[in-house]
Amino acid sequence: MWNEDHKSEMAESDKVPFLGTGWSFPPEFELTSGSVALTSGDLDIKNSLTLLFATIPGERKVNPLYGVDLSVLLFETLSTSLKTRVTDMLTRAINRYEPRIDLDEVTYHEIPLEGMLFITVHYTIRTTNTRTNLVFPFYLKEGTDL
């Protein structure tokens, strides 16, 4: 049923740029309503990118090409070649699966003794022209081998 309260809510939501809304990650449920917790805006994009980078192609049966298989780079030597491969893999995945952003740059901060490579993805949200970034940790060694 349409009423004036609903009309004013719709008018307010029309003023906000649409970036999308999705399930929070990891999935959570609200205690009071029992519904799935949702995220929207920049947080939804960051969650989407984290899922994209953490998903190995083939894990999703409906979309078997979705994801970035960084696991093939485990135990590789930290080098310019490795960073170039990672940049290429991330760029291809972002261009294919995240149309809400433009990739600006991928930078790296390495901690060789701990076998960690922090990947920072700098991007611009297309609809708002807002620049932001996401830091994704990549562990080059298993936790048991440290």
Side-chain angles (χ1 to χ4, degrees), residues 55-66:
T55 301
I56 296 173
E59 281 185 45
R60 293 188 174 191
K61 299 303 177 196
V62 175
N63 193 355
L65 299 178
Y66 180 85

Side-chain angles (χ1 to χ4, degrees), residues 23-38:
W23 282 31
S24 64
F25 183 78
E28 298 175 9
F29 295 92
E30 296 177 359
L31 292 176
T32 54
S33 65
S35 63
V36 176
L38 301 174

Side-chain angles (χ1 to χ4, degrees), residues 81-128:
S81 175
L82 174 72
K83 293 175 187 175
T84 302
R85 284 181 65 192
V86 170
T87 299
D88 182 58
M89 293 168 76
L90 296 179
T91 300
R92 287 172 187 251
I94 289 170
N95 288 339
R96 184 174 190 161
Y97 295 108
E98 192 46 78
R100 298 175 290 180
I101 66 170
D102 289 320
L103 180 62
D104 297 327
E105 180 184 21
V106 178
T107 58
Y108 301 92
H109 174 71
E110 52 191 85
I111 306 175
L113 295 177
E114 294 182 24
M116 293 179 65
L117 180 66
F118 289 97
I119 305 165
T120 305
V121 178
H122 304 269
Y123 60 91
T124 302
I125 299 172
R126 289 180 177 178
T127 57
T128 62

Side-chain angles (χ1 to χ4, degrees), residues 7 10 16 19 23 35 47 53 62 66 72 119 121 124 135 137:
K7 186 188 286 186
M10 292 296 290
V16 179
L19 294 178
W23 282 31
S35 63
N47 283 348
F53 301 160
V62 175
Y66 180 85
V72 299
I119 305 165
V121 178
T124 302
V135 178

